[in-house]
Structure formats: structure tokens, C-alpha cells
Amino acid sequence: MDDQEDRWIAASASALLAAEYEQVPIEALTARRPGLPLATAYRVQKAAVARRIAGGARVVGHKAGVTCKAMQEQMGVDEPDSGVLLDDMVLPTGSAVARSALMQPRVEAEIAFRLGCDLAGPNVSEDEARATVKEVFLALEVIDTRFTSWQITVADSIADNASCARVVTGSMVPLSVETDLATEALVVSVDGTAVVTGAGRAVLGDPLRALVWLAGRLHRCGDGLRAGQLVLAGAVHASLPLEARSTVRARSPHLPPVELHVR
């Protein structure tokens, strides 16, 4: 890569971090650079994450995004993306988030994992992925965009760390050999009223396939999933607007519920 490209990547990462800090959105990167390659977008993401780490943040996992048809249709894309989870993004169930701390937030219910051992390589099988899972749990992911609107491409989302803002984790339980995550049915309620449902199969046919996809993507850039890390498999439904003075809750038959309060 030439110096001009490196400078553009560094400037884009700085602009995204400044937009979040100052809560002043910026124009989508693809508005100025149509056809932005996904590989370049991931370099912007990596540069921004590196700045956060230099500032004291710690990597605690990864997220797969846009893994269900509903989200792909909502975003106008046909492939997943991924982002990095940092420790200051993760909150336990029952936590409160200030709406004023966010820009254009939306919320998604997901099945998520905590890994018991490393998972890396180009051709990981579903059985191998399942064997790495120490615990499974429900999560509410708050996505947000640092761009002027949600009319963005997958390249914009990738550069913006796959639009991840906060992750609320439910209680974690061991993944039983009998548990069929593809058929696990999630119900999302807002202020006590059920508003959307989705099953695990909405995520690439089975949430475990998100682990397979992530391991492959990370392998291509010389990385992998590590023991102890959290992994979000992706939403089972189209994202919902996140409003102030509301409570969002997700439940399913075999996993403990997860709840988020918005001030």
C-alpha cells in the first residue's frame, strides 16, 4: 500500500473516532469513495481499534454482523461483516444506557458464545466450532452509526467497527449437547410488549456457522478467535430503534433472559 492510501486510512479512522467522541456524524466513506474495497474498510476498522487499545481499551471478543436475511435486506447486502468487541462496550444484563450517549442507536437480539479454547484456521467445521464453546447466552447488541444516516454500505459499516456500540450479556450457561441453537426461538419485548421474534436458524442456518465464518475471515488476516473471548453470532431479526425511557428484553426457551434499560 502506498503512503497516500495509508494516510487516507489513518484519517478515516481518526474521523470516525472523533465523530463518536463529539457526537457529530460524518459523511459515509463510500459517498466520497464509491466502491471502497472491503479489505480497505477492514484496515480502517483495525486502525480505529488500535487507537482505542492504545487509549486503554482491551479486546474481549468479536461480532459477526448482517448474518440473517432480515438484516441483509435492511442493509442491502448479501454477506456478513465482523467487528471487534472491546471491554468498555460490554455490560451485564439489567444495565442502563443513556440514550444521550448514543447517536442513532438500534438494538438487536442475538445468540452469543464464550469460547473455552482457541478457534482458528481456514476450514473450521461446525463440530469443531461447537467443541470450542464453553458457554452460550442471549445478548442485546446496540448498534450505532457514526455516519449521517443508516443509508450506508457494508464497507461503511465495516470501517465503523461493524456499527457496534454496546453489548448487553445475559447469564451464561454451558452449551448442552442436546441444545439445538437453530431452533431456539427468541422473543424481543419493549416495555413488556413483544415486538419481534426470530429463531437461531436465521443466522446462516445455525448460529454456530457464525463461528465458522468468523474463524475463516480472521484467519485470512492472520488472526483467530481466542479462549475466553465473547462472540456475537448476529441478529435473528431486523434491528429496532432504541428509544429513551424504554426497557428492551429478549428471552428464549433454553437460555436466561437479557434486559437493557435506556435512560
Side-chain angles (χ1 to χ4, degrees), residues 41 47 60 78 90 107 110 113 145 207 229 250 258:
V60 295
D78 58 3
V90 181
V107 65
E110 312 190 13
F113 307 102
T145 182
Q229 288 187 337
V258 59

Side-chain angles (χ1 to χ4, degrees), residues 207-232:
L208 289 166
R209 291 177 188 160
L211 288 176
V212 173
W213 180 84
L214 260 175
R217 202 207 74 71
L218 292 172
H219 172 78
R220 290 192 292 276
C221 60
D223 201 356
L225 298 169
R226 304 300 174 204
Q229 288 187 337
L230 308 180
V231 178
L232 302 185

Side-chain angles (χ1 to χ4, degrees), residues 91-149:
L91 304 166
T93 184
S95 293
V97 172
R99 172 62 181 81
S100 60
L102 302 163
M103 297 172 71
Q104 303 168 69
R106 302 181 69 84
V107 65
E108 308 168 346
E110 312 190 13
I111 291 172
F113 307 102
R114 189 166 76 88
L115 303 187
C117 55
D118 293 355
L119 183 66
N123 299 301
V124 169
S125 70
E126 284 184 51
D127 286 343
E128 287 175 308
R130 188 181 187 99
T132 67
V133 174
K134 183 175 181 65
E135 293 169 309
V136 61
F137 58 99
L138 294 182
L140 290 170
E141 182 187 1
V142 177
I143 59 171
D144 204 357
T145 182
R146 272 57 76 168
F147 300 116
T148 51
S149 79

Side-chain angles (χ1 to χ4, degrees), residues 77 109 121 162 185 189 230 238 246:
V77 301
S189 61
L230 308 180
S246 65

Side-chain angles (χ1 to χ4, degrees), residues 31-233:
R32 289 169 286 162
R33 191 170 174 180
L36 177 66
L38 299 191
T40 304
Y42 276 116
R43 289 188 67 205
V44 175
Q45 177 191 120
K46 184 176 181 179
V49 169
R51 299 269 189 92
R52 295 280 303 277
I53 292 170
R58 180 172 55 87
V59 174
V60 295
H62 297 266
K63 64 159 282 189
V66 206
T67 50
C68 78
K69 272 293 182 213
M71 280 303 296
Q72 289 180 358
E73 289 170 2
Q74 191 176 57
M75 291 284 294
V77 301
D78 58 3
E79 60 185 300
D81 66 6
S82 75
V84 179
L85 304 182
L86 300 173
D87 58 339
D88 57 4
M89 298 177 177
V90 181
L91 304 166
T93 184
S95 293
V97 172
R99 172 62 181 81
S100 60
L102 302 163
M103 297 172 71
Q104 303 168 69
R106 302 181 69 84
V107 65
E108 308 168 346
E110 312 190 13
I111 291 172
F113 307 102
R114 189 166 76 88
L115 303 187
C117 55
D118 293 355
L119 183 66
N123 299 301
V124 169
S125 70
E126 284 184 51
D127 286 343
E128 287 175 308
R130 188 181 187 99
T132 67
V133 174
K134 183 175 181 65
E135 293 169 309
V136 61
F137 58 99
L138 294 182
L140 290 170
E141 182 187 1
V142 177
I143 59 171
D144 204 357
T145 182
R146 272 57 76 168
F147 300 116
T148 51
S149 79
W150 279 106
Q151 300 303 308
I152 56 175
T153 70
V154 70
D156 293 308
S157 176
I158 288 167
D160 196 17
N161 197 24
S163 304
C164 190
R166 303 285 189 279
V167 178
V168 183
T169 60
S171 297
M172 302 179 189
V173 296
L175 178 57
S176 165
V177 293
E178 294 85 19
T179 302
D180 180 3
L181 294 176
T183 61
E184 191 73 4
L186 280 63
V187 179
V188 183
S189 61
V190 178
D191 296 332
T193 301
V195 293
V196 69
T197 62
R201 67 170 63 89
V203 179
L204 303 175
D206 189 310
L208 289 166
R209 291 177 188 160
L211 288 176
V212 173
W213 180 84
L214 260 175
R217 202 207 74 71
L218 292 172
H219 172 78
R220 290 192 292 276
C221 60
D223 201 356
L225 298 169
R226 304 300 174 204
Q229 288 187 337
L230 308 180
V231 178
L232 302 185

